[in-house]
Amino acid sequence: MKRNRVIETTDGIQEEATVEQYDAMQRGLRDHGLMETKSILKAGISSGRVLELGPGPGYLGLEWLKETADTYLIGVDISPAMIAIAERNRKDYGLQERAEYLHATVMDIPLKNESVDAVFSNGSLHEWENPGSVIDEMFRVLKPGGKIFISDLKRTMNVLILLFMKFMVKGKAIKRGLETSVRAAYTANEIAAVFSGTRFGACSIKETPFGIEIVGSK
């Protein structure tokens, strides 16, 4: 049954204790091989100067850097606490020279026009206050021919899968955040409608048991 979308937040996870719990959860996903790294590479994002929107603690982008050569990552996040953890994790990976993190909103990306080769994002689409504006910002900073990859939860997720995900994560705040994130997530049809009103115009959308994967190019 399709549920009406319930807006979650425009600020992301901010409190220090919650941020640390989120870091632990993301680290667990990494350790179990559940990052979206392979999907990003399959989308053709494997070289150049790449932008990540909403990197959180940074594991996805850092894993992507590990799998690529001569690449550089710029992460944009609204949370100073998340950026601090991402910088700590960047040091643990030994990738200080290949990654930087900027404190900014994804609706006003602090980069020049046509300055990145690709853009990817995981798990933050449902938090964007105006997703169409963010997608247009992605188009602005992307070089001609550049690719995008966006993945997120979906509101139509099977209830058994949601229960499994809640079982896998620890901490009341994280479990509650997972529930609100699913309620705030989009359906594939809603995403297609959003893209139709942007400078991209269209995209490829794939549904997975856990969510949605979006691929496009400029």
Side-chain angles (χ1 to χ4, degrees):
M1 183 177 67
K2 182 178 176 180
R3 308 173 185 88
N4 291 328
R5 181 170 182 261
V6 180
I7 296 174
E8 180 185 36
T9 177
T10 58
D11 296 325
I13 297 173
Q14 298 281 348
E15 296 180 7
E16 184 175 348
T18 307
V19 167
E20 289 289 351
Q21 290 178 355
Y22 189 75
D23 175 65
M25 180 193 74
Q26 290 289 307
R27 187 167 61 249
L29 293 176
R30 178 204 63 184
D31 293 344
H32 285 89
L34 297 176
M35 298 264 92
E36 300 282 346
T37 316
K38 290 182 179 179
S39 294
I40 294 171
L41 295 171
K42 187 177 180 180
I45 301 175
S46 59
S47 62
R49 188 170 184 256
V50 175
L51 170 65
E52 181 180 10
L53 300 183
Y59 292 111
L60 178 59
L62 294 169
E63 288 292 311
W64 175 82
L65 284 173
K66 278 179 55 181
E67 296 295 324
T68 58
D70 300 320
T71 49
Y72 189 82
L73 180 74
I74 303 166
V76 171
D77 204 291
I78 197 173
S79 167
M82 283 293 189
I83 289 177
I85 290 184
E87 290 176 339
R88 182 186 71 192
N89 291 334
R90 174 187 62 178
K91 183 177 180 181
D92 290 342
Y93 272 77
L95 292 171
Q96 298 96 313
E97 303 301 318
R98 292 176 59 196
E100 66 176 299
Y101 298 98
L102 306 177
H103 177 218
T105 170
V106 295
M107 293 182 65
D108 187 16
I109 299 169
L111 297 177
K112 295 180 180 179
N113 295 349
E114 299 183 357
S115 60
V116 298
D117 297 288
V119 185
F120 65 80
S121 178
N122 171 252
S124 66
L125 168 62
H126 65 274
E127 292 187 347
W128 299 347
E129 183 177 357
N130 186 330
S133 295
V134 179
I135 292 165
D136 278 336
E137 270 290 271
M138 294 167 69
F139 188 95
R140 178 185 67 79
V141 302
L142 196 61
K143 295 177 182 178
K147 300 179 184 299
I148 64 167
F149 174 87
I150 305 170
S151 56
D152 200 7
L153 301 167
K154 63 180 180 181
R155 197 165 71 252
T156 53
M157 182 186 298
N158 183 284
V159 65
L160 294 178
I161 293 177
L162 177 57
L163 289 172
F164 170 76
M165 292 179 68
K166 287 180 64 178
F167 174 78
M168 292 296 292
V169 301
K170 297 180 180 180
K172 290 183 179 180
I174 299 300
K175 291 179 185 290
R176 184 170 61 250
L178 176 60
E179 290 180 344
T180 60
S181 291
V182 170
R183 289 199 296 267
Y186 295 90
T187 66
N189 287 339
E190 288 168 347
I191 290 299
V194 169
F195 263 85
S196 69
T198 69
R199 297 175 71 184
F200 280 99
C203 61
S204 172
I205 303 174
K206 173 186 174 182
E207 289 198 56
T208 71
F210 296 95
I212 297 172
E213 294 183 352
I214 306 154
V215 177
S217 60
K218 183 172 179 177

